[in-house]
Amino acid sequence: MTDAADGVFPGVCPLDCPDTCGLLLHKENGRIVKVTGDPNHPVTKGAICNKVRNMTERIYHPERLLHPLKRVGPKGAGQFERITWEEALAEITERFRELITRYGSESILPYSFYGNMGVLSVDGMDRRFFNALGASKLEQTICNSAGSVGWMYTMGFYGGVSPEDTEHADLIIVWGGNLVSTNMHQVVMAEKARKKGAKVVVIDVHRNRTAQWADWFIPLYPGTDTALALGMMNVLFAQGLTDKPFMERYTVGHELLEEHVRDFTPERVARITGVPAEDIVRLAEMYGRAQAAYIHVGNGLQHHDNGGMNVRAITCLPAVTGHWQRRGGGATKSNSGYAKLNSAALERPDLRANPQARHINMNRIGEALLDQEHPVKGLFVYCSNPLVVAPDTERVTRGFEREDLFTVVHDLFLTDTAKYADIVLPAASSFESTDLFTSYWHHYIQLQEPVIERVGESKSNYELFSLLGQMMGLDDEAFAESEESMIRGALNLSSNPYLNGVTLEALQEHRHVKLDMSPQARLLEKLPTPSGKIELYSEALERAGLPGLPSYMPLQEGYDGERRPAKDDLYPLMFISSPNHNFLNSTFANVGKHQQLEKEPLLQIHPEDAVARGISDGDQVTVWNERGVYKLRAQVADRMLPGTVISQGLWWEKEGQRQRANALTPDRLADMGKGAVFFSTAVNVKRQ
Ligand SMILES: Nc1nc2c(c(=O)[nH]1)N[C@H]1C(S)=C(S)[C@@H](COP(=O)(O)OP(=O)(O)OC[C@H]3O[C@@H](n4cnc5c(=O)[nH]c(N)nc54)[C@H](O)[C@@H]3O)O[C@H]1N2
Ligand SMILES: Nc1nc2c(c(=O)[nH]1)N[C@H]1C(S)=C(S)[C@@H](COP(=O)(O)OP(=O)(O)OC[C@H]3O[C@@H](n4cnc5c(=O)[nH]c(N)nc54)[C@H](O)[C@@H]3O)O[C@H]1N2
Ligand code: SF4
Ligand SMILES: [Mo]
């Protein structure tokens, strides 16, 4: 298609966003001049966000990397000279060979996430390369893994309510998610439900855009969601608003749970969460009396020390009330389980000679790079920007600064991370490549084919890793496989009945193909949990060393309503750095249009906390703790409970500005899934 004449071509949004919108790419004189939504997409229906409407600003950005670079200055200084691809690849293969001989293959570590959600790009040829190399394995737990594991202990299958069904709900609870910014088409669905009389409740630590749109906003203290869910269950059991026949048939442990939640009276839960007791009762009654209540479980509440348990506790609510039985009722954390692909065919773990290779957790990349005993000697970063997105920036920086570390970064831009690379490689955008896309929210599989020529000398991940695999002499057949053949392999998974009928041919003809959702109706009859039922009590969790019943565990760092900071506490405020509206993690943070929309980093602070520190609206402030500092402008606003401060968005560093939220965040791991705990961060704030 790249050679095709100008025109309007179908596309897929490649960003890490649940909506995975169908796009139309308008091409003139060989360039994409406009990106619009594809009105034929059955779920996203032609509407796209402002970020991607302005995508051409990113693809044709004057600072886009056009050719490989080699570092000539100190690490981090951003001084590079142009080299050829031949030189770059020769240096990488030579250095990797040398490292493997001297230190073993596990001295090499890939570091990647989902900067491009294309399956071939991030779960395909790249994986083959690091498998065949025998590199260390990266635990990719930066995003949703605490919550996923919490959900899985309870439900056993990583899928919930279908988006299209949510318009049939009569109560929608958005719990720790900022849908207006992060899942806009779910808002459209919720609006349909609302037109039919549904109420929308938002439970969050921050009156975000979604809370402003809701019928009822319930603010609470960070990390206290489990307590709130237990308090709701206390009321549901006490008032007979549970569904006993449903619990008998589809769950295990309801008697134990009923006993367990007796202690979580509305009064006690009010003290912990900051939500008034009468609101807890009202919420539980609304939930218990609704015909079909839908809970959207967001990512925010699981970026905590107790994040797994928060999701698990919330996931018990539709089970005790039987909301799962009614169309639109139930909950969704993610729907990625329905779209499970053949990862063995894609990633070829069989190419690995050392299946027991060590694991390194991406949330602890700083610590891993500073480890002297088993040092990482070669690091390959792609589809991620750890200097901005990983917790504890100072430690990450010290790791990346190591002179003896050979670092390669493949990206579209000279990101904060790329500035530390020895070799920088230019990446093609998804519109320049063939790839397969699933959604972790809706049920359509989509295909992208190249619409424009590669910009500059850029290469896709598929192309880069297939070249590297061949140059390192790893496995001829695996590294020569065509994109089409890999897509066929990915879709061929007999153990996933939802993939029935999804083929490359159907995708080439229709661009988006719906999963066969018929097995969903039988899901509850035999869930893939140990008991086959929804596990209100989980023996497996107990064996893993955590309470078998959903249990409130206060944050390791920070406060709840019962444990307020002492007067002389050094860090008495909780710092929440959730995503903003116009960036996608740190993507777009370097694009003028998107920067203008966000203006600058802002710290939202409650008037009480501001007055106590002599801070006025618009003042420059410093936020700090023992890990680092973040300098930004204060916005005094009554949008959270006192004691919580909010800064949305992940900004790139500006010369000497100290504007990285993650300078403050801890690299501890959550209770489950080795997840990130970005929001369990205690800080203090002062005027500059
Ligand atoms: N515009 C935009 N869209 C995005 C992204 C982006 O950066 N920008 N990122 C994408 C990615 S990778 C992801 S994972 C998703 C994330 O999107 P969401 O699921 O919406 O999750 P977050 O935005 O991380 O956090 C949502 C909310 O959780 C709240 N929160 C924090 N702590 C707590 C708590 O303890 N309890 C409760 N109840 N709420 C709490 C925050 O205040 C925030 O409003 O969005 C995706 N979409
Ligand atoms: N404080 C705080 N930190 C957070 C979060 C938070 O809410 N608060 N959110 C966390 C979450 S949920 C997530 S998912 C992570 C996300 O963290 P990342 O996955 O690192 O996300 P991005 O910052 O968007 O970086 C993606 C990079 O991939 C590059 N890229 C895009 N396409 C391609 C490609 O085809 N090939 C290559 N080689 N590169 C490409 C982009 O240019 C960009 O630099 O951040 C986490 N960090
Ligand atoms: S970022 Fe999300 S809402 Fe925006 S176009 Fe992409 S998939 Fe759609
Ligand atoms: Mo994420």
Side-chain angles (χ1 to χ4, degrees), residues 344-394:
L346 274 166
E347 304 180 11
R348 299 288 308 272
D350 57 295
L351 296 173
R352 187 179 273 278
N354 58 345
Q356 303 306 326
R358 71 167 164 181
H359 291 227
I360 289 180
N361 188 288
M362 71 186 301
N363 299 318
R364 315 214 58 172
I365 183 65
E367 189 198 45
L369 294 180
L370 294 169
D371 176 7
Q372 303 291 332
E373 223 169 295
H374 307 287
V376 174
K377 287 286 188 177
L379 179 67
F380 203 125
V381 183
Y382 59 101
C383 284
S384 185
N385 187 8
L387 259 291
V388 179
V389 307
D392 201 348
T393 316
E394 297 294 325

Side-chain angles (χ1 to χ4, degrees), residues 16-17 113-114 142-144 299 302-303 440 579 584-585 678:
D16 186 354
C17 169
F113 208 63
Y114 291 93
I142 205 166
C143 178
N144 61 1
N299 226 33
Q302 57 95 61
H303 272 157
Y440 49 88
L584 199 298
N585 302 318
F678 294 109

Side-chain angles (χ1 to χ4, degrees), residues 13 15 17-21 23 47-49 51-52 184-185 584:
C13 177
L15 299 175
C17 169
D19 301 48
T20 323
C21 292
L23 305 178
I48 59 169
C49 69
K51 303 183 286 294
V52 172
M184 61 179 264
H185 296 90
L584 199 298

Side-chain angles (χ1 to χ4, degrees), residues 221 224 227 264 267-275 552 560-562:
Y221 289 120
T224 62
F264 285 84
E267 293 68 31
R268 175 169 173 219
V269 171
R271 281 196 304 277
I272 299 171
T273 60
V275 180
Y552 173 62
D560 60 22
E562 274 188 334

Side-chain angles (χ1 to χ4, degrees), residues 14-16 58 111-118 121-122 141-144 299-300 302-303 362-363 380-391 409-417 425-430 433 435 440 459-462 464-465 575-580 583-590 647 649-650 652 660-663 665 676-679 681:
L15 299 175
D16 186 354
R58 176 171 154 83
Y111 189 102
S112 69
F113 208 63
Y114 291 93
N116 171 353
M117 292 288 291
S121 295
V122 279
T141 60
I142 205 166
C143 178
N144 61 1
N299 226 33
Q302 57 95 61
H303 272 157
M362 71 186 301
N363 299 318
F380 203 125
V381 183
Y382 59 101
C383 284
S384 185
N385 187 8
L387 259 291
V388 179
V389 307
V409 175
H410 182 227
D411 203 297
L412 286 81
F413 292 97
L414 195 65
T415 59
D416 287 6
T417 307
L425 303 171
S429 81
S430 67
S433 317
D435 222 322
Y440 49 88
K459 292 191 195 298
S460 70
N461 296 12
Y462 163 86
L464 168 63
F465 289 109
F575 172 77
I576 307 290
S577 53
S578 46
N580 64 9
F583 302 166
L584 199 298
N585 302 318
S586 78
T587 297
F588 298 117
N590 64 325
S647 171
L650 297 174
W652 293 23
R660 291 198 191 115
N662 278 317
T665 58
V677 302
F678 294 109
F679 304 157
T681 300

Side-chain angles (χ1 to χ4, degrees), residues 573-614:
L573 302 169
M574 292 301 293
F575 172 77
I576 307 290
S577 53
S578 46
N580 64 9
H581 192 71
N582 294 293
F583 302 166
L584 199 298
N585 302 318
S586 78
T587 297
F588 298 117
N590 64 325
V591 180
K593 192 120 189 180
H594 300 72
Q595 284 171 342
Q596 275 163 24
L597 290 165
E598 290 294 339
K599 297 192 180 69
E600 63 180 330
L602 288 176
L603 185 80
Q604 297 183 29
I605 182 167
H606 192 277
E608 262 179 40
D609 295 322
V611 167
R613 290 167 178 77

